[in-house]
Amino acid sequence: MKITRIKTIVTCPDRNFVTVKVETDEGLYGIGDATLNGRELAVVAYLDEHVAPCLIGMDAGRIEDIWQYLYRGCYWRRGAVTMTAIAAIDTALWDIKAKAANMPLYQLLGGKSRDGVMVYGHANGVDIEETVDEVAKYMDLGYLAIRAQTGIPGLPTTYGVSEDKMYYEPADASLPSTALWSTSKYMHHIPQLFDRLRNTFGFDVHLLHDVHHRLTPIEAGRVGKALEPYDLFWLEDAVPAENQAAFRTVRQHTTTPLAIGEVFNSIWDCKELIEEGLIDYIRATVVHAGGVSHLKKIFDFAAMHHVRSGSHGATDLSPVCMGAALHLDTAIYNFGIQEYMRHTEKTDDVFPHSYYFSKGYLHPGDVPGHGVDIDEDIAAKYPYQRAFLPVNRLADGSMFNW
Ligand code: CS2
Ligand code: MG
């Protein structure tokens, strides 16, 4: 089966998505997510100019070989743009292979290891009271695991707190808006949130929290230790991890489970973290970590070191990424949890999908392939709109991590 055409489709049904469609001479096609939040058109140019022309005429069934061709063959390895482009092609090729086999993708990845994929939803409020109410809403919706974020007194806006409680959207402006950050205000406030949540809801619900790369290792150790009585499922992205060894300090000071990985592109971003047992959950995902092929390798490596999966599933990862991720989540042995932020109705119309939510779990469905398609006519109604994540500054005006 030969690759005859590779199309990149950009659409903005409430937010931007980039989708790759790989067509073959046998009429089968596959799709892959190529969305890199705030850098969408860089990936489009990479795919259109530097990937698509090279793959025309290749055998669509040679997934591993094409992956290595794009990774090794280009000389410039890794990086978010490259690995997102590779991921999109890889996901589309797995979609084609599973459709050709007339099987849901999880069958080709080893079959089902579980009956459903436990997900966590996002509860957030401007203050602790509102976050408590939001957690209650998610429990009523049947969620078994809930991430809780709250506004911090003295900071006008805070990461993770959104106006629209149903559909969280972090890329909020056509040029980056500026937020104010204070580590001391944050560190003082966050244990109060979890104290209140556990007193209200007890210990049966899983609670998670995202620091979004805001602390130093010793600060993260202190926060992790302060949160130990509240038994978090995980503390996410406590420290930026360009320097993986920094997590040794965090680990020495707290037993709160640690998760990281949404900005990782390859095994080389997390090799020491996994090998040295410095984390508990690896949160890399299909679209930004080289597709189904490479993420499966990361997860299998993690399994050897008692590290479980916890894939990123924010709204800026398209339903195509979610579909593919759910097949992997279903098949691997060391699955932990999957993030699930609902997409808007417009987005769901552009991307019809077989996956569905029931009683705290997502299910990938049983249609051949990864079960997600794109309606190109509806997609064409929503042209690209430039959008950025905010940036963060401290009170003295200096730049900080977003
Ligand atoms: C996040 C995201 O879902 C998460 O855990 O940290 O909100 C993240 O900020 C965005 O996906 C960035 O594009
Ligand atoms: Mg996060």
Side-chain angles (χ1 to χ4, degrees):
M1 196 188 315
K2 297 243 181 300
I3 296 172
T4 48
R5 189 176 176 202
I6 297 178
K7 265 167 89 173
T8 49
I9 304 157
V10 183
T11 179
C12 186
D14 295 320
R15 69 140 16 261
N16 292 314
F17 295 109
V18 180
T19 308
V20 161
K21 186 171 192 177
V22 178
E23 298 175 357
T24 64
D25 59 357
E26 293 186 21
L28 283 178
Y29 67 87
I31 63 170
D33 183 18
T35 311
L36 184 60
N37 202 5
R39 297 292 183 272
E40 294 86 357
L41 300 188
V43 184
V44 172
Y46 192 101
L47 282 161
D48 287 350
E49 193 56 32
H50 307 293
V51 172
C54 312
L55 301 189
I56 304 303
M58 283 193 185
D59 178 352
R62 295 180 64 160
I63 301 178
E64 179 67 19
D65 185 58
I66 289 176
W67 196 97
Q68 300 297 346
Y69 178 89
L70 294 174
Y71 183 82
R72 275 165 220 287
C74 85
Y75 188 59
W76 309 108
R77 296 182 187 191
R78 306 161 62 189
V81 174
T82 298
M83 296 306 282
T84 300
I86 294 180
I89 298 291
D90 182 83
T91 304
L93 294 179
W94 277 108
D95 194 25
I96 291 171
K97 195 178 275 293
K99 284 175 178 170
N102 201 26
M103 286 180 182
L105 175 57
Y106 66 76
Q107 293 290 12
L108 302 190
L109 302 173
K112 279 191 180 183
S113 284
R114 57 192 47 76
D115 299 322
V117 170
M118 184 169 72
V119 296
Y120 68 92
H122 281 213
N124 66 83
V126 287
D127 55 21
I128 291 179
E129 285 314 303
E130 199 181 23
T131 305
V132 169
D133 293 347
E134 288 298 314
V135 169
K137 279 190 206 162
Y138 274 87
M139 290 174 73
D140 287 347
L141 289 167
Y143 282 77
L144 306 170
I146 302 163
R147 176 184 114 154
Q149 308 290 135
T150 191
I152 308 296
L155 301 182
T157 56
T158 311
Y159 163 76
V161 179
S162 62
E163 273 171 31
D164 189 326
K165 299 296 175 215
M166 282 290 280
Y167 307 113
Y168 175 62
E169 179 45 67
D172 60 357
S174 61
L175 287 172
S177 60
T178 303
L180 176 69
W181 176 252
S182 160
T183 298
S184 58
K185 286 186 170 59
Y186 169 82
M187 285 178 70
H188 175 71
H189 197 62
I190 219 65
Q192 298 176 43
L193 169 67
F194 284 93
D195 190 57
R196 184 65 210 285
L197 290 174
R198 283 305 186 203
N199 281 326
T200 310
F201 300 110
F203 283 81
D204 281 346
V205 61
H206 295 303
L207 294 177
L208 302 81
H209 180 66
D210 189 353
V211 184
H212 220 251
H213 301 113
R214 303 284 166 88
L215 301 175
T216 65
I218 199 67
E219 289 164 352
R222 271 177 63 201
V223 168
K225 191 180 266 181
L227 293 176
E228 279 170 21
Y230 312 118
D231 192 21
L232 261 59
F233 188 93
W234 78 34
L235 187 66
E236 173 177 330
D237 293 350
V239 180
E242 286 101 328
N243 177 4
Q244 298 179 42
F247 265 72
R248 291 181 193 145
T249 305
V250 191
R251 209 42 155 178
Q252 277 159 12
H253 289 89
T254 182
T255 56
T256 291
L258 302 172
I260 192 161
E262 66 185 44
V263 303
F264 294 173
N265 312 134
S266 86
I267 185 66
W268 302 105
D269 294 324
C270 49
K271 181 174 165 289
E272 284 105 303
L273 289 173
I274 292 172
E275 224 166 33
E276 293 187 33
L278 302 179
I279 55 170
D280 301 279
Y281 296 90
I282 176 69
R283 295 189 63 256
T285 193
V286 171
V287 57
H288 299 139
V292 173
S293 298
H294 191 66
L295 192 59
K296 172 90 164 61
K297 289 175 187 172
I298 295 177
F299 287 164
D300 289 344
F301 179 66
M304 293 165 60
H305 299 277
H306 308 283
V307 174
R308 286 181 281 170
S309 73
S311 288
H312 188 202
T315 39
D316 51 289
L317 286 60
S318 92
V320 184
C321 174
M322 178 58 82
L326 291 172
H327 285 268
L328 203 44
D329 294 340
T330 297
I332 57 168
Y333 151 74
N334 56 323
F335 169 75
I337 201 165
Q338 168 71 49
E339 182 180 20
Y340 176 45
M341 286 165 83
R342 289 156 301 204
H343 288 107
T344 65
E345 278 174 29
K346 270 189 200 168
T347 297
D348 283 343
D349 287 348
V350 170
F351 298 100
H353 51 262
S354 63
Y355 64 79
Y356 61 96
F357 176 85
S358 170
K359 298 181 181 152
Y361 294 88
L362 274 174
H363 301 268
D366 282 314
V367 306
H370 56 47
V372 186
D373 208 342
I374 184 164
D375 184 321
E376 292 184 63
D377 293 333
I378 303 182
K381 288 192 206 161
Y382 307 117
Y384 169 78
Q385 289 175 26
R386 193 177 64 193
F388 283 102
L389 293 168
V391 297
N392 236 349
R393 289 189 187 273
L394 302 178
D396 70 357
S398 52
M399 275 301 298
F400 197 67
N401 312 326
W402 175 254

